[in-house]
Amino acid sequence: MTDFELDGEAGVRITRVVAAPAELVFEVHTSARHLRHWMLGPPGWTMDVCEIDLRPGGPFRYVWHSETGEELTIAGTYEEVERPTRIVSTEAWAGDWPATRNTLTFTDLGGRTRITTHIAYVSAQARDNAVRSGMREGLDAGYANLDAYLAGQFSMRLELVPVPVADVAAAKEFYAEKLGFAVDHDIETPDGSRIVQLTPPGSACSILLSRGLPGLDQAPGVVRGLHLVVDDVRRAREVLLKRGVEAGEVLDMGGILYVPLADPDGNSWMLQEIPPSTRTSSEPQDVPAT
């Protein structure tokens, strides 16, 4: 349900709760990869242009077309961007519509998100004209699209990679003292099991060294080619060599640089440096507005 209320002399406040975490809801409001799939008008309309420069002072522009050839355009500028809680922008429809100042907030409700939109118009007349234009019905339709779109979205985070080793204590020393991983947990249970979690510096993904855990009975040393991304592979190699790590030579694979290394059990790793000039992506990108 969408709550719609007039606010003060020339404002409108719209509130909607959706079944998705705030980080995802923020993302689908600010990424062309998502917006063009749900921020649509009546049936038969498509968003053919979605240009976003998500930063204070950055412009954005959306263009929709109908099956009969009609066109609608919104353009504006971001004033404040606070991920994932708040966006302030000014925007205007093409034509004679005056600009508005919009404040969009995302309040986390424990897996659900309250979206609050405050639209400030230049005058009461401008607000009333917008309300009479079918604004409420349009917002309801847009949020129905958003609910359907969010229902098909979910997040996945790779957070822990098991690395099989023969001696947890020796492996812990290698990863913590020589590679510089942070020790997050080191737990021994009464039945003799042991769990050690370590995280590479700057990483959101950790590794698990364990003993006696069901389902983690791989032979030590079978893991191959785990990647550690670094800004400067040659400097990282020098540091690791000084710590006693047997790091290999720098390999240039078409502009992407690698350095092979292994832990005492033979699990292999690659330091990887991807220079900015070689970075590409097959994912749709936000198009900076010009």
Side-chain angles (χ1 to χ4, degrees):
M1 177 179 176
T2 305
D3 292 329
F4 185 99
E5 60 179 337
L6 303 184
D7 182 59
E9 182 179 346
V12 172
R13 187 180 306 277
I14 305 104
T15 306
R16 178 85 170 203
V17 175
V18 297
E23 186 72 44
L24 176 59
V25 177
F26 182 96
E27 182 70 16
V28 300
H29 276 78
T30 56
S31 169
R33 182 164 62 94
H34 296 291
L35 264 177
R36 62 177 74 249
H37 295 293
W38 72 267
M39 189 178 280
L40 305 172
W45 285 78
T46 59
M47 182 189 285
D48 299 312
V49 177
C50 187
E51 300 174 338
I52 296 173
D53 187 358
L54 188 63
R55 60 182 175 83
F60 61 90
R61 187 170 72 101
Y62 313 139
V63 181
W64 294 264
H65 290 100
S66 72
E67 293 176 333
T68 57
E70 298 172 276
E71 180 177 288
L72 292 174
T73 300
I74 286 181
T77 303
Y78 295 106
E79 293 186 353
E80 302 175 31
V81 177
E82 300 175 17
R83 180 183 294 271
T85 59
R86 176 180 164 91
I87 304 168
V88 181
S89 64
T90 57
E91 69 173 38
W93 292 90
D96 298 330
W97 289 97
T100 61
R101 188 172 191 269
N102 302 344
T103 301
L104 191 61
T105 58
F106 306 95
T107 304
D108 180 72
L109 302 176
R112 294 162 60 85
T113 303
R114 180 187 301 114
I115 307 169
T116 304
T117 306
H118 185 271
I119 306 175
Y121 291 85
V122 295
S123 66
Q125 180 180 357
R127 179 194 64 187
D128 295 344
N129 288 341
V131 172
R132 285 193 293 267
S133 73
M135 177 183 182
R136 186 194 302 259
E137 294 76 13
L139 286 166
D140 274 332
Y143 278 127
N145 288 339
L146 177 60
D147 284 340
Y149 184 73
L150 287 171
Q153 304 295 312
F154 55 91
S155 62
M156 289 185 181
R157 297 183 301 276
L158 179 63
E159 294 189 348
L160 195 63
V161 176
V163 177
V165 297
D167 185 328
V168 172
K172 174 188 173 183
E173 181 180 1
F174 172 80
Y175 282 104
E177 301 301 325
K178 294 189 175 180
L179 291 191
F181 288 18
V183 179
D184 304 317
H185 306 288
D186 187 347
I187 301 169
E188 292 194 64
T189 63
D191 64 1
S193 298
R194 186 174 181 184
I195 298 169
V196 178
Q197 178 178 314
L198 304 99
T199 303
S203 177
C205 184
S206 306
I207 65 167
L208 172 68
L209 310 176
S210 65
R211 179 185 67 230
L213 291 186
L216 295 180
D217 53 356
Q218 288 179 292
V222 299
V223 170
R224 292 288 179 270
L226 292 175
H227 281 45
L228 294 168
V229 179
V230 296
D231 294 327
D232 186 332
V233 76
R234 291 183 174 84
R235 173 163 174 73
R237 177 177 180 271
E238 291 176 4
V239 171
L240 295 182
L241 287 173
K242 290 178 180 178
R243 294 177 183 171
V245 177
E246 295 182 7
E249 297 297 327
V250 176
L251 306 174
D252 188 335
M253 305 294 288
I256 300 177
L257 307 180
Y258 294 94
V259 169
L261 58 93
D263 70 11
D265 290 278
N267 296 297
S268 70
W269 294 79
M270 299 291 282
L271 301 181
Q272 180 191 60
E273 177 189 345
I274 305 178
S277 60
T278 65
R279 292 175 187 165
T280 61
S281 174
S282 59
E283 287 292 318
Q285 300 293 309
D286 295 339
V287 180
T290 56

